[in-house]
């Protein structure tokens, strides 16, 4: 009896550590990838200019919509479907689901790639024709991304986040290198020297880098999968207890389960494309010049959103790693385990999101000036006003992942659709009846996130009777972040007054802010050592807390 309890306890701890380890892998990869993506945008902006960056953003927004339809949520969907079968040691059908998913993305991805290639001129706003070429270059990337997504989902289903994490880093490295080189080459050897030509060909060169990154990441995943083929074949051959599912049933499952997940992601993210299109057309209707519109949109999409997306990506890493575990526990009717996994995910996400939001708001202008010298200051103002959307988007990412994991993929799709309608009405009304300009997109972004959070929270309570761990997940990091923000603000001002260096002042203020946050977080949460084991980097924090006598 005691041995059974001990075994159960060890298994439970192992599951927690697995979730935190996987979240840590994805967070680390996301951080490195986003930092690389952020750093290369500055030299890219110097090559193509603000107008060119606007074209890049328009092309990327359209590309993301087509990618979402084709494959954007494939890793999460595949990991869910395969993890459910692995939980019951149904290796035969898990492998067949992998093959069926591959056939699905080849067909859908190929279709979307053709639409991208031949329909680009109708997808890009009519008053921004120079962005069409950049979108067309991305067409093969849509096809290859679906295949890459299936491989990533396969490894995630086996609770192995390392291949996905490494491939994301490699993808971003090659993306950055090729983007800069290709943009520079096209600007110097193809463009005719005019602003419009430089912007057009520079944007096209940037999207070549996106394709190169996906190709290299796919090659990496193919090598890893090839190394496991023998073990995979052996597990499938030894599985004689499960009846093999037909491909007809598998495709039905993919269409019934995978498609709603992808469609919900499409609706959830299509607002960026729609908002950009509406903004461009209505500003043009009001008499604004095309180049001015593109430059303003670059401040929002290429600068502000690029920075905001770093903590957003980090906070979404935990929900991504949670899906296979929650799916498996829910399939085995372990409701208590499901709620504990969600709690861990919320804590990890808010541990990143809340201090990030405060820090970016306080140091908005210095950060934007350092990374994007061409900015006219608009991106910094957007950051001050909109940094708290990191929390809203983090919460909506978690609730979306939970509802998908428990087999309710239609609900995020419906809630996102409702939020999208509200968003579109808000954008049109604000552009028509106010002079907010580019700040209209920020207002719509906030409205959209709030609607999704409220609706998803209702359904989580309905199906899981779930209650957010407000004290530990939200209140503690919030209370620790407020003094952190004060220290960051005055530290930057003080150091800059002495050395007049934006880089040095930012570096010192960020380091001091991190130290203050961690100390206050430890003091306020008063955790035991087991709690640290549930956080990324928790063991190192536990060592610090022990030396400061802050452990229970």
């Amino acid at each position: 009896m005691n041995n059974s309890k001990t075994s159960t306890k060890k298994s439970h701890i192992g599951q927690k550590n697995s979730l935190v380890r996987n979240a840590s892998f994805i967070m680390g990869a996301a951080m490195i990838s986003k930092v690389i993506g952020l750093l290369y945008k500055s030299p890219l902006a110097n090559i193509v200019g603000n107008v060119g960056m606007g074209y890049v953003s328009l092309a990327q927004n359209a590309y993301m919509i087509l990618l979402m339809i084709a494959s954007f949520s494939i890793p999460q969907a595949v990991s869910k479907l395969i993890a459910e079968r692995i939980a019951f040691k149904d290796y035969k059908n898990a492998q067949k689901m992998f093959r069926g998913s591959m056939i699905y993305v080849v067909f859908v991805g190929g279709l979307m790639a053709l639409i991208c290639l031949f329909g680009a001129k109708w997808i890009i706003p009519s008053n921004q024709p120079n962005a069409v070429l950049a979108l067309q270059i991305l067409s093969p990337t849509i096809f290859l991304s679906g295949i890459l997504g299936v491989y990533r989902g396969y490894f995630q289903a086996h609770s192995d986040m390392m291949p996905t994490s490494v491939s994301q880093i490699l993808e971003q490295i090659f993306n950055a290198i090729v983007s800069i080189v290709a943009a520079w080459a096209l600007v110097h050897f193809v463009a005719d020297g005019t602003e419009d030509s430089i912007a057009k060909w520079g944007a096209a060169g940037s999207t070549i880098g996106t394709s190169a990154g996906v190709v290299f990441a796919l090659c990496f995943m193919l090598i890893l999968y090839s190394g496991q083929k023998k073990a995979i074949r052996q597990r499938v051959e030894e599985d004689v207890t499960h009846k093999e599912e037909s491909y007809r049933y598998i495709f039905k499952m993919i269409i019934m389960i995978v498609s709603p997940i992808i469609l919900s992601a499409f609706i959830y993210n299509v607002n960026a494309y729609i908002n950009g299109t509406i903004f461009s057309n209505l500003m043009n209707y009001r008499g604004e010049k095309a180049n001015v519109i593109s430059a303003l949109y670059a401040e929002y999409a290429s600068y502000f959103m690029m920075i905001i997306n770093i903590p957003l990506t980090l906070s979404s890493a935990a929900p991504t790693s949670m899906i296979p575990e929650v799916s498996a526990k829910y399939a085995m009717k372990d409701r208590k385990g499901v709620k504990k996994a969600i709690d861990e995910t919320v804590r990890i996400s808010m541990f990143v999101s809340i201090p990030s939001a405060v820090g970016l708001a306080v140091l908005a202008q210095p950060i934007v000036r350092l990374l994007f010298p061409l900015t006219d200051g608009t991106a910094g103002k957007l950051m001050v006003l909109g940094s708290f959307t990191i929390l809203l988007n983090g919460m909506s990412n978690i609730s979306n992942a939970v509802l998908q994991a428990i087999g309710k993929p239609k609900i995020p799709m419906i809630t996102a659709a409702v939020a999208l309608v509200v968003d579109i009405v808000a954008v049109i009304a604000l552009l028509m009846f106010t002079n907010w300009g580019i700040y209209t997109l920020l207002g719509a972004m906030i409205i959209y996130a709030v609607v999704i959070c409220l609706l998803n929270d209702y359904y989580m309570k309905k199906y899981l009777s779930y209650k957010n761990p407000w004290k530990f997940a939200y209140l503690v990091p919030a209370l620790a972040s407020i003094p952190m923000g004060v220290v960051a603000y005055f530290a930057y001002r003080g150091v800059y007054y002495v050395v007049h260096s934006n880089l040095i002042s930012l570096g010192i203020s960020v380091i001091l802010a991190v130290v203050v946050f961690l100390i206050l977080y430890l003091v306020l949460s008063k955790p035991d050592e087991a709690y640290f084991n549930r956080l990324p980097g928790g063991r190192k924090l536990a060592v610090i807390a022990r030396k400061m006598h802050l452990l229970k």
Side-chain angles (χ1 to χ4, degrees):
M1 185 73 174
N2 290 336
N3 290 338
S4 176
K5 288 182 178 179
T6 303
S7 175
T8 303
K9 183 178 179 181
K10 286 181 179 178
S11 174
H12 180 59
I13 292 171
Q15 290 169 348
K16 284 183 176 180
N17 289 339
S18 176
L19 173 60
V20 175
R21 184 180 67 251
N22 288 334
S24 299
F25 283 153
I26 294 180
M27 279 186 172
M31 171 63 86
I32 295 170
S33 298
K34 286 297 178 182
V35 168
I36 294 170
L38 185 63
L39 293 178
Y40 92 82
K41 284 296 175 69
S42 183
L44 181 64
N46 290 331
I47 294 170
V48 307
N50 275 347
V51 175
M53 291 302 290
Y55 294 156
V56 171
S57 296
L58 286 170
Q60 290 283 357
N61 282 346
Y63 159 73
M64 289 301 293
I65 299 307
L66 296 172
L67 186 65
M68 284 169 199
I69 297 173
S71 63
F72 190 75
S73 292
I74 277 292
Q76 291 87 346
V78 171
S79 69
K80 169 184 165 54
L81 291 169
I82 295 179
E84 289 174 348
R85 284 152 181 77
I86 291 175
F88 294 100
K89 300 187 184 303
D90 187 359
Y91 300 114
K92 183 182 296 182
N93 289 315
Q95 188 63 19
K96 201 164 185 179
M97 185 62 69
F98 168 77
R99 292 194 295 268
S101 300
M102 191 67 73
I103 295 170
Y104 173 86
V105 298
V106 167
F107 175 76
V108 178
L111 179 61
M112 289 300 105
L114 292 173
I115 291 174
C116 179
L117 181 62
F118 297 107
K121 63 181 179 180
W122 291 288
I123 298 172
I124 295 293
S126 58
N127 64 332
Q128 304 290 336
N130 286 337
V132 171
L133 178 60
L135 177 58
Q136 289 176 321
I137 290 174
L138 288 167
S139 56
T141 315
I142 294 173
F143 175 74
L144 296 175
S145 292
I147 299 172
L148 175 61
V150 173
Y151 282 110
R152 284 174 171 169
Y154 176 85
F155 284 105
Q156 289 173 19
H158 290 78
S159 295
D160 186 0
M161 302 296 173
M162 184 62 77
T164 295
S165 302
V166 175
S167 69
Q168 286 175 342
I169 295 172
L170 294 174
E171 178 183 349
Q172 195 60 260
I173 290 173
F174 275 81
N175 179 11
I177 294 172
V178 177
S179 290
I180 293 173
V181 173
W184 180 88
L186 291 181
V187 165
H188 283 79
F189 298 111
V190 180
D192 61 14
T194 62
E195 182 184 35
D196 284 347
S197 182
I198 289 172
K200 174 184 176 179
W201 289 104
S206 172
T207 54
I208 292 174
T210 305
S211 301
V214 170
V215 169
F216 194 86
L218 178 57
C219 291
F220 173 77
M221 296 298 281
L222 285 170
I223 292 171
L224 290 184
Y225 182 79
S226 297
Q228 295 195 9
K229 275 189 174 180
K230 184 177 180 181
I232 293 169
R233 191 182 302 111
Q234 184 177 347
R235 283 198 302 267
V236 172
E237 289 174 354
E238 291 175 353
D239 180 12
V240 294
T241 60
H242 296 93
K243 183 180 179 181
E244 188 172 348
E245 298 169 343
S246 67
Y247 273 113
R248 181 177 180 180
Y249 175 77
I250 287 173
F251 289 136
K252 181 181 177 180
M253 287 289 293
I254 293 172
I255 293 171
M256 295 291 291
I257 297 177
V258 178
S259 295
I261 292 176
I262 293 174
L263 187 57
S264 67
F266 164 73
I267 297 174
Y268 185 69
N269 290 278
V270 74
N271 67 314
Y273 168 74
I274 292 177
N275 288 352
T277 302
I278 293 173
F279 173 77
S280 179
N281 289 331
L282 286 184
M283 290 294 284
N284 181 66
Y285 172 78
R286 295 181 65 169
E288 197 65 76
K289 293 181 180 179
N291 282 2
V292 174
I293 295 171
S294 182
L296 278 174
Y297 193 67
E299 291 283 335
Y300 173 80
S302 294
Y303 302 159
F304 163 68
M305 286 304 301
M306 189 68 198
I307 297 172
I308 284 287
N309 277 335
I310 292 181
L312 281 180
T313 302
L314 292 177
S315 65
S316 67
T320 298
S321 63
M322 171 190 67
I323 289 177
E325 183 171 342
V326 170
S327 296
K329 289 180 183 296
Y330 192 78
M332 300 175 76
K333 303 187 184 302
D334 181 7
R335 293 297 184 92
K336 187 176 180 181
V338 168
K339 291 180 181 180
K340 286 185 177 181
I342 299 171
D343 282 348
E344 300 306 321
T345 304
V346 174
R347 288 174 179 175
I348 294 170
S349 182
M350 292 303 113
F351 180 77
V352 174
S353 298
I354 294 176
S356 297
V358 173
L360 287 177
V362 170
L363 300 173
Q365 291 291 1
I367 290 173
V368 173
R369 284 201 311 270
L370 176 68
L371 295 172
F372 303 107
L374 294 180
T375 180
D376 63 5
T378 302
K381 294 174 184 177
L382 288 166
M383 189 84 67
V384 173
L385 296 171
S387 63
F388 77 97
T389 57
I390 296 170
L391 277 69
L392 297 175
N393 282 283
M395 294 165 67
S396 63
N397 283 336
I398 293 170
S399 57
N400 275 344
V402 170
L403 292 169
Q404 290 170 3
I406 65 172
K408 306 291 182 183
K410 292 182 180 179
I411 292 176
M413 180 178 65
I414 294 170
T415 59
V418 172
L420 180 61
V421 172
V422 176
D423 170 273
I424 293 172
V425 172
V427 170
I428 295 173
L430 291 173
L431 283 172
M432 292 295 292
F433 302 111
T434 73
N435 292 318
W436 287 16
I438 195 66
Y439 297 97
T440 294
L441 298 186
L442 176 61
M445 176 184 176
I446 294 170
I447 292 170
Y448 181 83
V450 168
V451 173
I452 288 219
C453 286
L454 292 176
L455 293 176
N456 281 1
D457 184 65
Y458 167 79
Y459 284 108
M460 283 179 66
K461 288 178 181 177
K462 178 179 179 179
Y463 290 106
L464 293 172
S465 300
Y466 180 74
K467 295 181 180 179
N468 269 304
W470 291 106
K471 180 179 178 181
F472 291 102
Y474 296 91
L475 182 60
V476 171
L479 291 176
S481 295
I482 294 171
M484 177 208 76
V486 174
V487 169
Y489 178 83
F490 285 104
Y492 176 83
R493 297 284 177 177
V495 175
Y496 190 82
Y497 180 79
V498 176
V499 301
H500 296 290
S501 170
N502 189 27
L503 177 60
I504 295 174
S505 302
L506 266 178
I508 293 175
S509 61
V510 168
I511 292 171
L512 289 175
V514 171
V515 171
V516 169
F517 172 77
L518 291 177
I519 292 174
L520 290 175
Y521 185 84
L522 295 175
V523 171
L524 292 170
S525 60
K526 297 178 182 178
D528 55 19
E529 193 158 354
Y531 174 71
F532 282 105
N533 291 331
R534 300 193 292 265
L535 291 174
R539 292 183 180 179
K540 293 181 180 179
L541 287 175
V543 172
I544 297 172
R546 193 180 300 109
K547 291 181 179 179
M548 298 174 64
H549 305 289
L550 293 174
L551 286 177
K552 284 184 180 180

